[in-house]
């Protein structure tokens, strides 16, 4: 065990902008992992650090997409009181690094050989101007569908492989009086569904052109209108009480048999596991119809905020613990995601985890691995939020599909 694990440095950190101080030798961690499955996964990291004599001061900010957490973080940084480490995604990490707010982790990365084991697609966000500024915890893929196996079996529904199959399954469940789609009416959740729908309609080249290259012709195409039309079909198959529902409550609807399907990233699997459910027996996991060869991803990372010009012993310990192979396995088994390094065995993972690891490896090698628009890995926050506004407005009936296409083109053009 490296010596800095045993090194203890006093760090006084405020719990909020206005109140309290953390205990010496603690790391204060701001995150939005507040559901049952997420909390169980985070506890793996807490216990790892506690075993090294490093305390943990928790600062959870509820909100599955992280928007509320980023609002709190901006207030903390403005007040000169940044936390030790903060959960971050994609372009948000780059933005904080460009502002000079993050610590340089190159010494830790070199000692641990991160460059050799972290996929290039993740390094794009973990390294800025040649400096490691965050430690990747996992890779989540977002184009999953989760299904209650008993509900599908009872209604004679096979795992849908095409959009038409999926529509037929929704119709069957609706006729049986079962909510076809469990959904939480929040902008990031609608964008998560839209991600998969666009990939299924436009394919990987079209997805890249629309969301990464921001090609106005593709954004305004007939294919994009078809994607909005499919979103309308999905909207017709959610229950009346979806507005404002948190994602994990939608997952619970599938777990409890109150709904057949949920389109959500693989963090949803943590909820099934936390409820004692077994993949293949109690629930099914499969790629959104039409995206079986593609993986859209996000990667939770912990940004290390500058604490006075040097990486503290506690930050170094946290970063090293996060990327250790043993932690990567233990954490991701619980979280539902897959490891952020390529040399971790799949032995401890269940059927969905093994599929996730295999899908990720195949997509990375075939050029079918794409950063998720909905989760800040395809374009900057200004563009992502502009897309959110159009997608959620359409989902809530403010625009028809033709209008939504034009609004999308205009919104992205203004936000670029």
């Amino acid at each position: 065990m490296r010596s800095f694990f045993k090194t203890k440095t006093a760090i006084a950190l405020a719990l909020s902008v206005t109140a309290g101080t953390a205990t010496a030798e603690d790391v204060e961690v701001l995150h939005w992992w507040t559901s049952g499955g997420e909390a169980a996964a985070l506890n793996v990291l807490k216990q790892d650090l506690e075993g090294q004599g490093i305390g943990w001061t928790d600062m959870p900010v509820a909100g599955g997409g992280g928007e509320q957490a980023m609002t709190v973080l901006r207030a903390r940084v403005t007040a000169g009181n940044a936390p030790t480490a903060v959960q971050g995604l994609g372009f948000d990490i780059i933005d904080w690094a460009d502002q000079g707010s993050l610590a340089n982790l190159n010494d830790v990365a070199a000692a641990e050989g991160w460059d050799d084991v972290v996929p290039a697609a993740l390094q794009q966000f973990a390294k800025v101007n040649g400096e490691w500024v965050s430690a990747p915890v996992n890779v989540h893929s977002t184009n999953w569908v989760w299904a209650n196996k008993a509900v599908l079996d009872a209604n004679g529904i096979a795992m849908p492989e095409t959009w038409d199959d999926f529509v037929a399954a929704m119709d069957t469940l609706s006729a049986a009086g079962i909510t076809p789609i469990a959904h939480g009416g929040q902008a990031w959740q609608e964008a998560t569904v839209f991600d998969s729908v666009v990939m299924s309609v436009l394919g990987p080249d079209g997805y890249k052109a629309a969301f990464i290259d921001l090609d106005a012709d593709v954004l305004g195409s007939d294919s994009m209108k078809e994607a909005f039309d499919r979103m309308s079909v999905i909207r017709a198959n959610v229950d009346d009480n979806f507005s404002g529902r948190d994602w994990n409550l939608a997952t619970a609807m599938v777990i409890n048999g109150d709904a057949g399907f949920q389109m959500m990233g693989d963090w949803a699997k943590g909820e099934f596991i936390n409820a004692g459910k077994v993949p293949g027996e109690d629930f099914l996991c499969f790629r959104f119809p039409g995206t079986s060869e593609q993986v859209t991803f996000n990667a939770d990372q912990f940004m290390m905020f500058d604490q006075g010009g040097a990486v503290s012993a506690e930050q170094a310990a946290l970063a090293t613990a996060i990327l250790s192979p043993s932690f990567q396995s233990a954490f991701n088994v619980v979280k539902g995601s897959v490891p952020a390094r390529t040399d971790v065995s799949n032995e401890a993972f269940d059927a969905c985890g093994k599929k996730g690891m295999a899908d990720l490896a195949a997509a990375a090698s075939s050029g079918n691995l794409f950063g998720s628009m909905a989760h800040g890995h395809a374009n900057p926050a200004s563009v992502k939020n502009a897309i959110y506004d159009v997608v959620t407005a359409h989902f809530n009936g403010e625009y028809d599909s033709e209008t939504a296409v034009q609004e999308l083109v205009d919104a992205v053009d203004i936000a670029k």
Side-chain angles (χ1 to χ4, degrees):
M1 196 57 62
R2 292 166 178 81
S3 60
F4 57 70
F5 274 123
K6 300 181 177 69
T7 303
K8 295 182 178 180
T9 303
I11 303 175
L13 297 171
L15 284 171
S16 67
V17 174
T18 59
T21 58
T23 307
E25 303 159 9
D26 278 1
V27 289
E28 185 190 16
V29 182
L30 191 158
H31 63 89
W32 58 88
W33 283 336
T34 56
S35 78
E38 291 172 323
L42 191 63
N43 197 48
V44 175
L45 182 55
K46 293 180 186 178
Q47 290 175 347
D48 190 299
L49 286 176
E50 287 169 358
Q52 308 303 327
I54 297 171
W56 178 288
T57 299
D58 209 34
M59 190 178 179
V61 180
E67 293 90 351
Q68 294 92 324
M70 291 300 102
T71 299
V72 172
L73 176 60
R74 281 189 289 273
R76 291 286 303 268
V77 173
T78 299
N81 186 28
T84 319
V86 179
Q87 183 182 358
L89 295 173
F91 280 88
D92 286 341
I93 299 170
I94 295 173
D95 289 345
W96 284 111
D98 287 342
Q99 294 174 37
S101 298
L102 304 184
N104 183 341
L105 298 172
N106 278 359
D107 288 347
V108 178
E112 300 296 324
W114 292 357
D115 283 295
D116 297 328
V117 296
V118 176
L122 272 68
Q123 291 191 35
Q124 177 184 348
F125 301 104
K127 292 177 72 173
V128 180
N129 299 322
E131 294 182 1
W132 283 89
V133 295
S134 62
V137 184
N138 57 17
V139 183
H140 276 299
S141 51
T142 61
N143 56 319
W144 287 104
V145 182
W146 307 91
N148 185 300
K149 186 175 185 300
V151 168
L152 267 57
D153 289 348
N155 289 277
I157 298 172
M159 187 184 300
E161 297 182 3
T162 67
W163 172 249
D164 288 343
D165 291 343
F166 197 40
V167 171
M170 288 188 281
D171 289 345
T172 298
L173 291 175
S174 183
I178 299 168
T179 299
I181 303 294
H183 177 68
Q186 298 170 346
W188 74 270
Q189 294 191 59
E190 273 119 41
T192 299
V193 178
F194 192 60
D195 242 359
S196 295
V197 170
V198 170
M199 181 64 81
S200 71
V201 176
L202 276 72
D205 290 342
Y207 183 95
K208 178 180 181 295
F211 290 153
I212 298 173
D213 301 334
L214 305 179
D215 185 315
D217 290 338
V218 178
L219 289 167
S221 65
D222 289 342
S223 294
M224 190 62 74
K225 179 181 178 297
E226 171 63 21
F228 278 109
D229 286 343
R230 292 189 182 188
M231 289 294 288
S232 296
V233 173
I234 292 169
R235 170 63 183 87
N237 282 278
V238 305
D239 67 299
D240 292 337
N241 298 316
F242 77 97
S243 182
R245 178 186 291 138
D246 289 335
W247 70 269
N248 53 304
L249 299 181
T251 306
M253 292 173 63
V254 178
I255 292 172
N256 296 330
D258 297 324
F261 302 101
Q262 181 188 22
M263 284 81 83
M264 185 51 59
D266 51 17
W267 49 92
K269 193 189 80 170
E271 299 300 296
F272 285 93
I273 300 304
N274 197 50
K277 304 302 181 181
V278 178
E281 297 179 14
D282 302 307
F283 67 97
L284 303 177
C285 57
F286 57 96
R287 297 292 172 184
F288 187 86
T291 71
S292 61
E293 296 183 359
Q294 289 80 46
V295 171
T296 51
F297 80 92
N298 71 9
D300 290 302
Q301 306 201 34
F302 278 107
M303 304 179 280
M304 301 297 166
F305 274 73
D306 183 76
Q307 301 288 313
V311 175
S312 72
E314 287 76 21
Q315 285 178 317
L318 176 60
T320 301
I322 285 170
L323 272 163
S324 69
S326 59
F327 169 76
Q328 286 278 320
S329 179
F331 176 88
N332 286 295
V333 162
V334 177
K335 184 69 166 63
S337 43
V338 302
R341 52 186 296 159
T342 57
D343 58 345
V344 177
S345 168
N346 72 357
E347 182 179 357
F349 289 79
D350 61 25
C352 290
K354 285 181 169 65
K355 176 173 172 54
M357 293 176 76
D359 287 354
L360 180 70
S365 65
S366 66
N368 280 303
L369 179 62
F370 296 91
S372 163
M373 174 280 295
H375 295 271
H377 284 69
N379 45 59
S382 58
V383 175
K384 179 194 76 172
N385 292 334
I387 296 173
Y388 273 22
D389 289 345
V390 176
V391 171
T392 200
H394 171 266
F395 200 79
N396 285 281
E398 294 180 36
Y399 305 139
D400 62 18
S401 295
E402 186 173 353
T403 303
V405 167
Q406 188 56 55
E407 291 289 338
L408 184 66
V409 172
D410 293 344
V412 169
D413 183 57
I414 292 169
K416 283 195 295 186

